[in-house]
Amino acid sequence: GVPGAVPAWQEVLNTDLSRYGGSDVRNPDPLKPESVPHDGRPSSIQLTLPPLSTIWLRPV
């Protein structure tokens, strides 16, 4: 779940990028929340999370 007031989320760090030796699976476009509640939050996002990696998102 994500806060409802944020219009989109942008990936700022992905440990699966090729420059870190990964397979370069990423979320290149901003992720827009859907009105699907999750974990007590009013909205949620669907993203690609590569195996054995970490991603950081920031509000756009």
Side-chain angles (χ1 to χ4, degrees), residues 23-39:
S23 58
D24 216 29
V25 174
R26 56 184 154 168
N27 300 281
D29 300 321
L31 303 164
K32 296 182 180 178
E34 301 172 357
S35 296
V36 178
H38 187 72
D39 270 345

Side-chain angles (χ1 to χ4, degrees), residues 11 15 20 22-24 26 28 31 33 37 43 52 54 56 58 60:
E11 183 178 279
T15 61
Y20 303 127
S23 58
D24 216 29
R26 56 184 154 168
L31 303 164
S43 302
L52 304 174
T54 300
W56 288 2
R58 71 171 172 86
V60 176

Side-chain angles (χ1 to χ4, degrees), residues 34-57:
E34 301 172 357
S35 296
V36 178
H38 187 72
D39 270 345
R41 300 283 186 159
S43 302
S44 58
I45 55 175
Q46 288 189 354
L47 53 90
T48 301
L49 182 59
L52 304 174
S53 67
T54 300
I55 63 170
W56 288 2
L57 304 173

